[in-house]
Amino acid sequence: MPSSRGEAAGSAGASLTHALAAGFEALPPHGGYCIGFSGGRDSTALLDALHGLRPGRVRAVHVHHGLHASADDWAEHCRRFCEARGIGLDIRAVRVRPDGDGPEAAARRARHAALQEALRPGELLVLAHHADDQAETVLFRLLRGGGTAGAAGMRALRPTGDGGWLWRPLLGVTRDAITAYCRARELQWVDDPGNHGGANARARLRAALPMLEAVVPGAAAALRRHAGLLGDQQALIATALGPDLATRLHDGRLDLRGLRGWSRARRHALLRQYCAALGAPVPGAAWLAECDTSVIAAGADRQPVLQLGALRACRFDDALWLLPALPPTEPAWCTNWDGCAPLSLPAAAGSLHCSGAGPPLHALTVGFVAPGTRCRLTAGGRTQRLKHVFQRAGTPPWERARTPEIRADGEPVQVGQWRLPAANAYLPGTRFHWRKPHWHLPSEGT
């Protein structure tokens, strides 16, 4: 047992610094560390330790949910903490929209989205999940029937699906060790009462873990060992399914053709690998069974949608797509545009840009294409329904609803990326460019 304060600090800090130092070796090339900093004990210890090991390469992002009366005080605490150490801090305010999963789940999704948006090119996103969080996750996923991939727990390093990486260096460090580190370093942290209670299943399970430890001493450690063993098995499964996934995964879409002929075990393993490759939640047994019934077995002319956490799994053109929740479109939306500056479109539809010889001389209006729209794509060509144009181009429904239509003096001159013949008469020297967002989750490296 440590006999002095200095020995206590060294003992408490050893597991944190060792975990960080060991993790450095496995990291991909990157441009620095961006830490999700709530101001709580865990992220405080992580930020302090990582800043000490990599000074000048660490910055923090605090997500201000505004859900608690002390939220402003927490943001101010984070500002003072970072200012005292010369650490850059980005405070992001978010609006949480509770849904059927409850306010905690909605806040978690809003926080993750804000952290992703705050990342700079090449940065690693670093989060402070620790060993006790891992035990909780493993138990929760086991009870949900999450299979090998789910019960293997959180990965210390994984791609985020947008070319970035998420690092959790403290998965081998216990809550007690983090608390001891903070006390030995005399660090101050904020305490969110939401971490000690709550009505959702995850919060109740967190409260039950100490009782499980009392009945089965060492239960949390056993769950973490179990996760490690399953992680090894999952690595073997990933290796075995690697060629199948490489063949079927194209820009985030999973080719579903022929999967009904596979065994249930192989098909479910592939779906789990697909979700993992995109950084999506690991589906449980009930979700996979529903996917078999309502998505994979659906007729080719159907477009079923299945919820997966905050994502939607959509079938289109014999492929499975994973999409985040998109804001709804307003079919009647219309606005004027002078063409001088880019126009940001609502409903996550991207933006319009204009190039050419000076601003357009005709009044421009922009709206979304209406159902039943007909157009002529080439001079002298026949008028055709835009629905058929979309079908031939393989345009998914979420893109169709967000396709902009540009009019000059009331005459359609462009639909999406298609320049219409009238544009040559009204705007001969002008070109419009629609920059579409990547609505669905892309696979790593795309």
Side-chain angles (χ1 to χ4, degrees), residues 20-33:
L20 290 169
F24 289 147
E25 300 177 2
L27 296 180
H30 62 89
Y33 307 88

Side-chain angles (χ1 to χ4, degrees), residues 234-249 254 262 266 269-270 273-274 277:
Q234 181 59 25
L236 292 175
I237 293 173
T239 300
L241 287 173
D244 290 323
L245 190 62
T247 300
R248 291 180 171 271
L249 184 57
L254 183 69
W262 287 23
R266 184 185 176 198
L270 180 71
Q273 287 300 119
Y274 166 62

Side-chain angles (χ1 to χ4, degrees), residues 54-257:
R54 292 291 188 270
R57 300 201 66 200
V58 177
R59 69 184 190 96
V61 175
H62 175 79
V63 180
H64 189 315
H65 301 93
L67 295 177
H68 193 274
S70 299
D72 289 339
D73 295 334
W74 296 342
E76 176 60 21
H77 166 85
C78 292
R79 187 193 64 77
R80 291 196 304 266
F81 184 95
C82 291
E83 187 177 77
R85 292 159 178 80
I87 300 172
L89 175 66
D90 183 0
I91 297 179
R92 298 269 173 143
V94 298
R95 184 177 179 182
V96 178
R97 296 178 175 85
D99 51 23
D101 293 335
E104 293 183 32
R108 183 169 57 251
R109 288 194 291 270
R111 180 169 62 252
H112 289 175
L115 290 172
Q116 288 292 340
E117 291 175 0
L119 279 180
R120 296 170 182 168
E123 277 187 327
L124 286 175
L125 177 58
V126 190
L127 300 181
H129 295 108
H130 51 69
D132 296 81
D133 294 325
Q134 181 74 300
E136 173 194 317
T137 298
V138 171
L139 182 57
F140 183 71
R141 291 180 177 176
L142 279 170
L143 296 174
R144 286 179 61 239
T148 304
M154 296 178 282
R155 287 184 284 171
L157 182 67
R158 69 164 177 83
T160 58
D162 55 3
W165 290 87
L166 168 61
W167 185 33
R168 298 184 179 100
L170 303 185
L171 289 181
V173 183
T174 65
R175 180 184 289 114
D176 288 344
I178 292 173
T179 301
Y181 175 88
C182 288
R183 289 175 177 166
R185 294 274 297 164
E186 298 184 343
L187 302 176
Q188 300 295 316
W189 67 87
V190 300
D191 192 19
D192 182 352
N195 291 330
H196 308 297
N200 66 17
R202 193 69 179 250
R204 293 197 297 270
L205 186 63
R206 185 180 306 129
L209 274 175
M211 292 185 284
L212 182 61
E213 279 283 341
V215 176
V216 184
L223 285 168
R224 294 193 294 270
R225 289 195 299 273
H226 181 68
L229 293 173
L230 289 180
D232 291 341
Q233 292 183 26
Q234 181 59 25
L236 292 175
I237 293 173
T239 300
L241 287 173
D244 290 323
L245 190 62
T247 300
R248 291 180 171 271
L249 184 57
H250 308 285
D251 188 30
R253 308 185 303 274
L254 183 69
D255 187 350
L256 297 178
R257 290 173 296 183

Side-chain angles (χ1 to χ4, degrees), residues 316-389:
F316 173 73
D317 197 22
D318 280 330
L320 187 65
W321 312 58
L322 289 181
L323 279 77
L326 297 174
T329 58
E330 296 182 14
W333 175 81
C334 184
T335 189
N336 297 320
W337 183 37
D338 61 12
C340 295
L343 176 66
S344 181
L345 301 172
S351 60
L352 287 174
H353 300 254
C354 179
S355 64
L361 299 179
H362 298 269
L364 301 178
T365 56
V366 178
F368 291 127
V369 294
T373 296
R374 302 180 68 89
C375 63
R376 181 180 289 108
L377 296 183
T378 59
R382 62 184 177 86
T383 299
Q384 53 188 311
R385 294 183 64 185
L386 193 58
K387 173 184 176 180
H388 298 148
V389 177

